[in-house]
Amino acid sequence: LIVGGGNMGEALAKGMLSAGLLEPRQLTIIEKSRDRSLHLQSIFPDCISEEVPKDFEYETVIIAVKPTDFPLIAKSVSQVISSRSLVI
């Protein structure tokens, strides 16, 4: 799970996919901006969401948002991690 689909989130996703660390089916990018979501959807089909899916527990969560946005997403991210999750 990558929270934040800005330049940093997009670069991390591209890098992990091109290095073979992830398959596209393992990738979810959360992006709240509609324009940015459309851009990301063209690169990562079926991997973009506007909200953190609540019906899944993620092993790894990468938070790629500006520090001022962190308090807004912290609560929703806390619902999809466990004590064994890696949060970056």
Side-chain angles (χ1 to χ4, degrees), residues 8-49:
M8 181 171 53
E10 179 182 345
L12 288 167
K14 284 180 178 177
M16 288 187 288
L17 290 170
S18 67
L21 298 173
L22 289 177
E23 295 179 27
R25 65 178 175 78
Q26 297 173 294
L27 177 64
T28 301
I29 302 173
I30 307 302
E31 177 54 52
K32 62 183 177 181
S33 163
R34 180 75 176 138
D35 289 340
R36 189 71 186 159
S37 291
L38 292 172
H39 166 74
L40 293 169
Q41 190 68 31
S42 70
I43 301 168
F44 311 106
D46 303 319
C47 296
I48 311 305
S49 178

Side-chain angles (χ1 to χ4, degrees), residues 48-68:
I48 311 305
S49 178
E50 292 182 11
E51 296 181 356
V52 176
K54 294 176 178 40
D55 58 345
F56 193 80
E57 189 174 278
Y58 292 88
E59 292 179 24
T60 304
V61 177
I62 298 173
I63 300 175
V65 299
K66 293 180 175 68
T68 54

Side-chain angles (χ1 to χ4, degrees), residues 65-84:
V65 299
K66 293 180 175 68
T68 54
D69 293 335
F70 179 78
L72 298 173
I73 60 98
K75 184 176 181 180
S76 60
V77 168
S78 70
Q79 297 173 11
V80 295
I81 60 173
S82 72
S83 61
R84 297 185 325 192

